[in-house]
Amino acid sequence: MQKRPEDRWGVLVFKGDDGQDLLHVPLAGWLPEARCLGALDLRPHKCLDRTGLRQLVKRLGIPLEESPEPVTASGVPDDGRGSRPYRVVHTGFPRGCTKGISLFGWLIAFVIGFATENFWALTVAAGALFLLPAGDASVRARGWWCSRQHARFVDKTEIRPSPAAGSGVTRRFLRTAAVRVYSRDVVLTNALGEERWLGRAGAHGVARLVRLVDAATGESLGVEVWDRQGEVRALLPWRFWFAGPLGSESWTALTEALKVPVSDEKYRRRRNAQHWWEGHALAGDARRMSPIEGRAVRREVAWYSSVAGADEPVVIPFFSAWLLFGLMSDKVPVFLAGLLSALTIVLSLGLATVSALVSRISYDRTVQAE
């Protein structure tokens, strides 16, 4: 198993008649539970089934064979030729290009401005640096807008967590986590806003719900989501989703929306285990579908962790400070350069500060079940 989940299970390679690679499809990029499997290791052939890629290849009439060819850190087979075809999945946010252009533009314009006394070049330098926090803000704004689009799907049933009293949930978990049932998909969203889409049709569509019951006490522990191949695809902790005042209504809504068989099975906990799901194949899934401690959440969703880079709150103000003297200049281009630099510092530090404060004061505070 390699370090990143995207590299774990190999790559489906489409080849032409001449043997040249035409397309690389990293299997983990098409596997809904790639980041939630924990210690569960899947063979490539099982990943092909779960992703639906095997059915695609079969429908296309293409012969399929498994190769022991090694995989590079980028998820592409290491064939030694150095050339790569276009890939269908990009695992990272493409921020490097914008950052490089901005810093390079700042440096060139800054040097030209002082070397030639062309003060408009300083304005260009400050403007180039301003693109970084402005771009970060635009990404957040677009993400906020996209999250509002859920309301446009009218054909859906939405199940929100109904945790038991005293379970220590956060406002972020109550507002963000959800299970949405659409006509063709089931979407599970955790407290970080990560979505996992499971199909309702096909060989690995959702076909059964199993409620796990403690073999000793009879207490409901969790809900397993099974597919038509008899494999568990998701695990929801009962305490955080269905044990509260509205839990029975949520459970009824989920079963009625899915219209699949429901059964109970006894489950034996590990002795001295902190959580009942320890030892379960989808223990990692249960953790991610539970409330997450505030400090751990902020490491994942903090402004400069999720959108930009961890170095930007230091780098951007440092470079911008060089042109702040322009605020005291009577030359228009120099003054504009100073004004843009001030705005850059305020935007880069202010938005990150507001985001951290909102997380600490509101989102990540423990609240009573709502």
Side-chain angles (χ1 to χ4, degrees), residues 15 26 54 67 86 108 115 118 133 208 218 256 270 314 359:
K15 293 180 176 290
R54 184 184 297 278
S67 170
Y86 291 108
I108 296 299
N118 183 354
R208 184 183 174 197
E256 291 180 350
R270 281 187 175 182
V314 176
S359 294

Side-chain angles (χ1 to χ4, degrees), residues 342-362:
L343 290 175
T344 300
I345 294 175
V346 170
L347 195 60
S348 61
L349 296 180
L351 293 176
T353 302
V354 169
S355 177
L357 289 176
V358 170
S359 294
R360 289 177 178 272
I361 296 174
S362 178

Side-chain angles (χ1 to χ4, degrees), residues 140-209:
R140 285 294 181 124
R142 184 176 182 275
W144 175 87
W145 174 255
C146 289
S147 66
R148 305 279 81 78
Q149 303 309 299
H150 284 300
R152 296 188 177 185
F153 293 93
V154 294
D155 186 18
K156 73 171 181 180
T157 300
E158 184 174 79
I159 291 87
R160 290 285 183 175
S162 181
S167 54
V169 298
T170 62
R171 185 172 285 110
R172 184 189 299 274
F173 177 73
L174 294 175
R175 290 185 176 185
T176 307
V179 176
R180 298 179 177 90
V181 181
Y182 299 96
S183 58
R184 301 180 62 180
D185 301 283
V186 179
V187 183
L188 294 91
T189 307
N190 62 19
L192 299 177
E194 297 173 331
E195 292 184 346
R196 182 163 22 125
W197 291 63
L198 301 176
R200 298 184 61 184
H204 281 273
V206 175
R208 184 183 174 197
L209 292 177

Side-chain angles (χ1 to χ4, degrees), residues 21-301:
D21 293 0
L22 300 178
L23 185 67
H24 290 172
V25 183
L27 297 184
W30 289 68
L31 186 67
E33 58 267 45
R35 295 182 177 273
C36 306
L37 288 174
L40 180 63
D41 195 14
L42 298 177
R43 298 296 303 167
H45 73 273
K46 186 170 290 188
C47 289
L48 286 171
D49 291 334
R50 291 193 176 194
T51 58
L53 290 171
R54 184 184 297 278
Q55 291 87 337
L56 173 63
V57 171
K58 184 177 180 181
R59 179 171 295 184
L60 293 175
I62 302 174
L64 178 65
E65 60 182 26
E66 185 174 342
S67 170
E69 188 177 21
V71 178
T72 67
S74 63
V76 178
D78 186 7
D79 53 15
R81 293 194 294 266
S83 59
R84 297 178 179 178
Y86 291 108
R87 298 174 60 199
V88 295
V89 173
H90 299 275
T91 58
F93 178 74
R95 60 175 179 262
C97 181
T98 302
K99 181 185 296 185
I101 292 175
S102 298
L103 293 178
F104 183 74
W106 177 89
L107 177 62
I108 296 299
F110 186 83
V111 172
I112 292 175
F114 280 100
T116 65
E117 296 188 357
N118 183 354
F119 297 122
W120 282 108
L122 299 180
T123 306
V124 173
L129 205 58
F130 179 74
L131 290 177
L132 281 174
D136 299 341
S138 67
V139 169
R140 285 294 181 124
R142 184 176 182 275
W144 175 87
W145 174 255
C146 289
S147 66
R148 305 279 81 78
Q149 303 309 299
H150 284 300
R152 296 188 177 185
F153 293 93
V154 294
D155 186 18
K156 73 171 181 180
T157 300
E158 184 174 79
I159 291 87
R160 290 285 183 175
S162 181
S167 54
V169 298
T170 62
R171 185 172 285 110
R172 184 189 299 274
F173 177 73
L174 294 175
R175 290 185 176 185
T176 307
V179 176
R180 298 179 177 90
V181 181
Y182 299 96
S183 58
R184 301 180 62 180
D185 301 283
V186 179
V187 183
L188 294 91
T189 307
N190 62 19
L192 299 177
E194 297 173 331
E195 292 184 346
R196 182 163 22 125
W197 291 63
L198 301 176
R200 298 184 61 184
H204 281 273
V206 175
R208 184 183 174 197
L209 292 177
V210 175
R211 180 167 54 183
L212 300 179
V213 179
D214 192 306
T217 64
E219 175 190 2
S220 297
L221 299 177
V223 177
E224 294 178 338
V225 181
W226 289 53
D227 63 16
R228 287 182 174 81
Q229 300 296 321
E231 297 183 2
V232 184
R233 302 298 301 276
L235 180 61
L236 297 174
W238 186 272
R239 182 186 182 191
F240 300 122
W241 285 87
F242 305 106
L246 301 178
S248 59
E249 297 179 13
S250 299
W251 176 242
T252 301
L254 178 62
T255 56
E256 291 180 350
L258 287 175
K259 296 181 175 62
V260 297
V262 180
S263 62
D264 291 348
E265 289 189 4
K266 292 184 179 180
Y267 183 85
R268 295 190 179 277
R269 311 189 195 199
R270 281 187 175 182
R271 289 185 178 181
N272 302 322
Q274 182 179 3
H275 301 287
W276 68 264
W277 57 73
E278 294 181 15
H280 193 284
L282 291 183
D285 190 15
R287 283 192 296 269
R288 297 189 78 82
M289 296 304 293
S290 302
I292 303 175
E293 192 268 337
R295 182 178 300 177
V297 171
R298 286 191 290 274
R299 283 198 298 265
E300 297 283 344
V301 303

